[in-house]
């Protein structure tokens, strides 16, 4: 599984070298990888259907106890098959969609990295690894949405999606760390077995809210739903992949994966059910209100994500089965519909449904594929979307929380979706013919392959529900529960209440579509004030406020004066470290400050000489005071039994003073570049830092974490160095290279002094 995840990144890295050789055929080559991955994951189907799970663990950061773990069960296998299978068609499609575009190589690099990131996310069995792949999907989707970076709309949409999802990702990171701390492990397969203990923990509510916030932003739940339709600024292959099988499914996947650990409580049920229900209705309403084909489909994705979140909140066995079936059905018809939308745009030069009409003669295959997938979107038999809708209504009727309300919302949503599906399936292809910017024509076979296969699967899975299989659906749904789940898929369950509600929704949707133009105009009049004060307007105001705050704060913080930067850094260090040292040092600082009177006298000499050097106007006096500081250091070395260092210090200090005296009178006089008040402030800052470092050194000396090395030197001086003078043995044997370096420094200084003494100014050349 590690190879399966890394393969996408490796191929993405090779694209710049492969693209020049294969040119326009490169998309067909790249599509072989996701196709091969689909076959690889398909080999796990029998075992997963039988209740088996596969796990692979690789050492990652052993020092921190972190592992790169992958886990394949029914839920992750379903997502892996969708990511790789639909990914193969999207990559194949993109090669012809971007025909002649010189940016193809960059596009495929980003798309393949996006696919690999999503695969890593759904297969990860480690919370930290899952979060890393989570953020990689945000980054790569940002690049894909803003692919046409010269377009201001694309740049804005990409930034908007990044800000919302990464902002939620920060909350998710806090929630995952808290979850791992509470569970005592970061392995997801172990965490889901500790659901009862986690739900009873005192940190359950905050970690639940953080995880839900991350999932809701990623899967565009109300009030964060606005970023997803704006992501339609991306090329159509990206939109198809984003909405059908990848990034937006990450949030609902996380809810499903963590349901055994976090689900089942009143807070989980209420939040997920109500937010999901509100998102479901909002998405369906906005889909009917829109006229751009990609925007209609995008808002219907918001509807589907809300439905999945609602089902995850309900949490019953029937809801879990409906979750899996609805997710699979949505991936099939939404991928097909977006690819059809790209074909329409490619073949007509427009995305506006109002600008299309009568295209069934010029594009008959596209019309057929759009009709099949739109019927599944509308939930009509015999398509697989119908089975998902029936299971959803059945589970809501028996929901333990607000079942009547959720069922009512679902029926209203289904009605609106029927109208939106009618707009997609009928408006471009029927009615009077309308002139389009391009002469209508069918897309290439590579662009038709994806919608044809996905539409055919929607039809086959509906007619023969046994193809996906009760066992596999049960295994996938069982991942949402701590107990086994038994699913039974069938196209016909008799005359039931869900069937009656579904028929009512279809009739209402057909009526609404027949009055679509008037209904859409009425909607725009009603909700215009909401748009002005809605979530997206709030996002714009927030970004404007951040920009205004930045303009106000930047001149204060980034003023361009280095001395203030240094002073701020030093004072922050002194405040934080000093406060910690004073309040948390065991026994108090008094125990660490063990200073003898002669040591204190030398320290006072340090300070006095330093202050004099800073204040004197005499250059010779400054040199002498600096020399006093150096000799005081040598005296410290001598007191602490380091005569070699003391001698070296004296020699170097003497040479330094001689050098300074020789060159001092050739330099200009002292000039003041700051006021006395500024110098006093600088002295205070420097004094605080010096005091802090001194205290830290005293504390370090006060703590003996290991046996003194002096004991080793005393014991091994004769056996190893053959000498009883321990200091000499250290200098000559243990620290031979260090001593050689000291000799080199002293010799170099002596040579420099000698050269300066012997230096004579050359006589000036006579002017000719």
């Amino acid at each position: 599984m590690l190879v399966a995840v890394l393969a996408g990144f490796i191929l993405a890295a090779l694209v710049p070298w492969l693209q020049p050789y294969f040119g326009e055929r490169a998309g067909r080559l790249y599509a072989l990888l996701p196709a091969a991955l689909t076959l690889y994951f398909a080999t796990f189907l029998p075992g997963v259907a039988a209740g088996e799970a596969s796990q692979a663990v690789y050492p990652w950061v052993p020092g921190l106890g972190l592992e790169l773990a992958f886990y394949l069960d029914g839920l992750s296998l379903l997502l892996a098959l969708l990511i790789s299978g639909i990914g193969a068609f999207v990559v194949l499609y993109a090669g012809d969609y971007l025909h002649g575009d010189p940016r193809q190589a960059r596009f495929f690099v980003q798309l393949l990295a996006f696919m690999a990131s999503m695969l890593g996310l759904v297969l990860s069995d480690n919370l930290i690894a899952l979060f890393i792949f989570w953020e990689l999907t945000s980054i790569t989707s940002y690049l894909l949405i803003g692919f046409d970076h010269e377009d201001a709309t694309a740049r804005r949409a990409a930034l908007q999606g990044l800000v919302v999802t990464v902002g939620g990702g920060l909350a998710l990171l806090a929630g995952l760390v808290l979850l791992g701390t509470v569970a005592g492990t970061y392995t997801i397969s172990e965490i889901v077995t500790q659901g009862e203990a986690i739900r009873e923990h005192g940190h359950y509510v905050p970690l639940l809210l953080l995880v839900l916030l991350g999932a809701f932003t990623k899967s565009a739940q109300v009030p964060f739903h606005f970023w997803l339709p704006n992501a339609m600024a991306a090329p159509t292959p990206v939109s198809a992949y984003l909405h059908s099988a990848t990034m937006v499914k990450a949030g609902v996947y996380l809810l499903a994966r963590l349901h055994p650990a976090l689900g089942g409580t009143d807070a989980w049920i209420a939040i997920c059910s109500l937010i999901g229900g509100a998102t479901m209705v909002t998405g369906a309403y906005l889909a009917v209100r829109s006229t751009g084909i990609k925007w209609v489909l995008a808002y219907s994705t918001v509807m589907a994500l809300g439905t999945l979140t609602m089902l995850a909140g309900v949490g019953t066995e029937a809801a879990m089965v409906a979750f899996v079936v609805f997710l699979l059905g949505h991936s099939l018809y939404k991928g097909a519909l977006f690819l059809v939308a790209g074909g329409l745009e490619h073949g007509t030069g427009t995305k506006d449904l109002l600008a299309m009409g009568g295209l069934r003669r010029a594009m008959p295959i596209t019309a057929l594929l759009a009709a099949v997938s739109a019927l599944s979107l509308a939930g009509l038999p015999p398509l697989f979307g119908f089975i998902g809708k029936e299971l959803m209504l059945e589970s809501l009727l028996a929901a333990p929380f607000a079942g009547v309300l959720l069922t009512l919302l679902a029926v209203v949503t289904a009605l609106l979706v029927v109208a939106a599906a009618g707009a997609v399936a009928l408006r471009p292809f029927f009615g009077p013919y309308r002139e389009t910017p391009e002469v209508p024509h069918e897309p290439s076979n590579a662009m038709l392959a994806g919608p044809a296969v996905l539409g055919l699967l929607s039809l086959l899975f509906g007619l023969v529900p046994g193809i996906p299989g009760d066992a596999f659906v049960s295994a996938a749904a069982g991942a949402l529960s701590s107990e086994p789940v038994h699913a039974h898929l069938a196209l016909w369950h008799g005359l039931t209440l869900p069937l009656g509600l579904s028929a009512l929704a279809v009739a209402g949707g057909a009526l609404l579509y027949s009055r679509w133009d008037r209904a859409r105009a009425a909607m725009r009049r009603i909700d215009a004030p909401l748009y002005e004060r809605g979530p997206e307007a709030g996002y714009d105001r927030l970004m404007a406020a951040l920009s205004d705050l930045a303009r106000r704060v930047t001149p204060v913080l980034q003023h361009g004066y280095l001395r203030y930067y240094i002073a701020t850094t030093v004072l922050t260090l002194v405040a934080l470290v000093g406060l910690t040292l004073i309040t948390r040092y065991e026994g108090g600082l008094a125990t660490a400050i063990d200073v003898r009177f002669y040591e204190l006298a030398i320290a006072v000499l340090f300070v006095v000489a330093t202050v004099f050097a800073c204040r004197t106007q005499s250059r010779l006096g400054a040199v002498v005071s600096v020399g006093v500081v150096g000799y005081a250091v040598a005296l410290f070395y001598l007191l602490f039994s380091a005569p070699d260092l003391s001698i070296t210090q004296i020699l170097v200090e003497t040479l330094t003073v001689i050098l300074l005296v020789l060159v001092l009178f050739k330099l200009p006089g002292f000039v003041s570049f700051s006021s006395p008040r500024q110098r006093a402030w600088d002295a205070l800052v420097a004094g605080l830092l010096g005091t802090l470092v001194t205290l830290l050194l005293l504390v370090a000396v006060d703590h003996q974490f290991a046996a003194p090395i002096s004991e080793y030197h005393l014991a091994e001086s004769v056996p190893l160095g053959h000498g009883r003078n321990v200091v000499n043995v250290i200098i000559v044997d243990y620290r031979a290279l260090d001593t050689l370096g000291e000799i080199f420094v002293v010799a170099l200084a002596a040579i420099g002094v000698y050269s300066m003494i012997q230096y004579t100014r050359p006589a000036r050349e006579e002017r000719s």
Side-chain angles (χ1 to χ4, degrees):
M1 281 186 279
L2 177 62
V3 174
V5 172
L6 294 181
F9 292 114
I10 294 172
L11 180 57
L14 295 176
V15 164
W17 285 271
L18 295 175
Q19 191 73 29
Y21 289 100
F22 293 93
E24 298 298 333
R25 297 173 296 170
R28 292 168 170 77
L29 173 68
Y30 305 146
L32 294 177
L33 174 63
L37 291 177
T38 305
L39 296 177
Y40 166 72
F41 288 119
T43 61
F44 290 91
L45 282 170
V48 169
E52 300 174 1
S54 300
Q55 191 171 19
V57 180
Y58 306 91
W60 185 18
V61 188
L64 298 178
L66 294 180
E67 299 173 330
L68 192 59
F70 299 101
Y71 187 78
L72 192 69
D73 61 356
L75 181 62
S76 55
L77 178 58
L78 172 62
L79 268 297
L81 286 170
L82 291 174
I83 293 166
S84 55
I86 296 178
F89 291 119
V90 168
V91 173
L92 180 65
Y93 181 99
D96 283 15
Y97 183 85
L98 295 174
H99 177 77
D101 194 322
R103 303 170 297 174
Q104 271 198 27
R106 175 161 61 89
F107 177 83
F108 283 120
V109 168
Q110 297 166 2
L111 186 66
L112 292 169
F114 182 50
M115 178 192 73
S117 302
M118 192 65 196
L119 272 178
L121 190 156
V122 301
L123 294 174
S124 288
D125 194 31
N126 181 278
L127 291 178
I128 303 302
L130 182 146
F131 176 76
I132 291 174
F133 286 117
W134 180 283
E135 291 301 278
L136 282 175
T137 61
S138 294
I139 295 171
T140 49
S141 67
Y142 165 75
L143 297 174
L144 288 167
I145 295 170
F147 177 73
D148 190 8
H149 57 84
E150 295 180 355
D151 183 3
T153 302
R155 294 197 303 271
R156 180 182 182 276
L159 180 62
Q160 187 181 79
L162 184 70
V163 169
V164 174
T165 57
V166 171
L170 293 176
L172 177 65
L173 176 61
L176 294 181
V177 171
L178 199 55
L179 176 60
T181 303
V182 169
T185 178
Y186 284 91
T187 302
I188 299 174
S189 57
E190 296 177 7
I191 290 174
V192 296
T193 64
Q194 304 179 33
E196 184 175 351
I198 294 173
R199 289 188 288 268
E200 293 177 354
H201 197 277
H203 294 155
Y204 169 74
V205 172
L207 76 85
L208 172 67
L209 295 177
L210 291 169
V211 170
L212 290 181
L213 181 58
F216 288 172
T217 54
K218 197 78 162 183
S219 286
Q221 300 297 294
V222 168
F224 308 107
H225 62 284
F226 58 88
W227 76 265
L228 183 56
N230 291 336
M232 294 303 96
T236 299
V238 175
S239 302
Y241 205 27
L242 191 77
H243 286 250
S244 61
T246 52
M247 180 174 163
V248 297
K249 291 291 199 309
V252 293
Y253 165 80
L254 185 67
L255 295 178
R257 177 58 73 200
L258 296 181
H259 183 272
L262 303 179
T265 63
D266 292 341
W268 172 281
I269 294 173
I271 295 174
C272 291
S273 298
L274 295 178
I275 294 294
T279 304
M280 177 178 65
V281 175
T282 301
Y285 174 85
L286 294 175
V288 175
R289 185 184 185 276
S290 303
T291 59
I293 186 169
K294 290 179 64 175
W295 276 260
V296 173
L297 297 176
Y299 282 120
S300 68
T301 297
V302 173
M303 174 278 301
L305 296 173
T307 304
L308 292 171
T309 301
M310 178 182 63
L311 292 172
V314 172
T316 61
E317 180 175 323
M320 296 171 189
V321 174
F323 179 97
V324 172
V325 175
F326 198 93
L327 185 149
L328 175 57
H330 172 262
S331 297
L332 295 177
Y333 68 68
K334 189 52 61 69
L337 285 173
F338 264 110
L339 296 179
V340 166
L344 281 170
E345 177 191 356
H346 192 269
T348 64
T350 181
K351 305 174 185 177
D352 191 355
L353 289 171
L354 301 181
M356 303 180 197
L359 297 175
R360 66 185 182 279
R361 292 184 178 86
M363 308 175 70
I365 299 177
T366 302
L368 176 61
L369 297 177
V372 171
S373 298
L375 287 174
S376 189
L377 168 63
L380 295 177
L383 280 303
F384 195 61
F386 170 76
I387 298 178
K389 183 176 70 172
E390 295 297 291
L391 291 173
M392 181 263 293
L393 291 171
E394 181 181 352
S395 66
L396 295 181
L397 287 170
F401 172 79
V404 175
L405 173 62
L406 296 179
T407 303
L408 178 61
L409 293 177
V411 172
V412 173
T413 299
L415 184 153
L416 294 170
V417 169
V418 169
V424 172
L426 302 177
R427 189 64 180 248
F429 304 102
F430 296 90
Y433 176 77
R434 289 181 172 85
E435 294 289 340
T436 55
E438 301 285 343
V439 177
H441 60 277
E442 289 282 14
S444 65
N445 292 333
M447 297 178 67
L448 290 172
V453 174
L454 296 176
L456 179 61
L457 289 177
S458 292
L459 180 60
L460 287 178
F461 288 0
L463 291 172
V464 189
I467 295 179
D470 294 348
F472 176 67
V473 173
S474 298
L480 281 74
S481 174
S482 55
E483 299 178 356
V485 172
H486 303 284
H488 176 64
L489 304 185
L491 184 62
W492 174 255
H493 291 277
L495 298 175
T496 60
L497 181 56
L499 180 62
L501 295 175
S502 180
L504 178 63
V506 171
L511 179 63
L512 178 61
Y513 174 70
S514 67
R515 293 166 172 77
W516 183 45
D517 292 329
R518 283 183 290 177
R520 194 179 66 256
M523 289 177 175
R524 291 182 180 275
R525 288 194 298 270
I526 293 172
D527 61 19
L530 297 178
Y531 264 75
E532 297 175 0
R533 299 175 178 83
E536 186 169 8
Y539 166 85
D540 292 334
R541 286 194 290 270
L542 175 62
M543 297 303 291
L546 287 175
S547 298
D548 182 64
L549 179 63
R551 283 191 294 269
R552 295 174 182 271
V553 170
T554 300
V556 177
L557 299 180
Q558 300 294 331
H559 39 66
Y561 291 98
L562 181 60
R563 64 169 54 178
Y564 295 126
Y565 295 156
I566 296 175
T568 302
T569 304
V570 169
L571 291 176
T572 303
L573 174 67
V574 170
L576 296 178
V577 178
L579 180 63
T580 304
L581 194 63
I582 293 172
T583 58
R584 298 194 178 186
Y585 184 66
E586 297 179 1
L589 287 176
T591 60
I593 304 176
D594 183 16
V595 181
R596 293 165 177 78
F597 73 93
Y598 51 85
E599 297 170 350
L600 183 61
I602 298 175
V604 171
L605 181 61
F606 265 124
V607 175
V608 172
T610 302
V611 172
F612 181 81
C614 293
R615 292 184 56 83
T616 184
Q617 297 298 314
S618 168
R619 291 176 294 185
L620 184 60
V623 171
V624 172
S625 59
V626 170
V628 171
V629 172
Y631 291 124
V633 172
L635 187 57
F636 258 128
Y637 288 148
L638 188 62
L639 289 176
F640 285 94
S641 303
D644 58 325
L645 293 178
S646 179
I647 293 172
T648 303
Q649 176 69 24
I650 290 173
L651 288 174
V652 172
E653 196 62 40
T654 301
L655 293 173
T656 302
V657 170
I658 293 173
L659 286 172
L660 289 174
V661 169
L662 288 174
V663 302
L664 191 62
F665 295 102
K666 305 298 181 182
L667 299 177
F670 290 150
V671 179
S672 295
F673 291 99
S674 59
S675 64
R677 181 178 179 181
Q678 183 62 56
R679 291 194 293 274
W681 169 254
D682 294 341
L684 175 62
V685 173
L688 289 174
L689 180 61
T691 302
L692 175 65
V693 173
T694 302
L695 291 176
L696 289 174
L697 290 173
L698 291 172
V699 169
V701 172
D702 186 52
H703 276 72
Q704 191 71 47
F705 296 102
I709 196 172
S710 57
E711 298 178 1
Y712 170 82
H713 288 152
L714 291 171
E716 302 296 336
S717 176
V718 175
L720 296 180
H722 306 288
R724 298 186 180 277
N725 188 322
V726 179
V727 174
N728 285 348
V729 171
I730 293 173
I731 293 173
V732 175
D733 292 294
Y734 297 147
R735 290 175 46 195
L737 291 177
D738 183 37
T739 304
L740 179 63
E742 293 176 354
I743 295 172
F744 178 77
V745 170
V746 173
L748 186 63
I751 292 172
V753 172
Y754 178 79
S755 299
M756 294 188 66
I757 293 174
Q758 296 296 320
Y759 176 78
T760 57
R761 185 183 300 274
R764 294 184 178 181
E765 296 181 0
E766 296 183 0
R767 297 181 181 273
S768 58

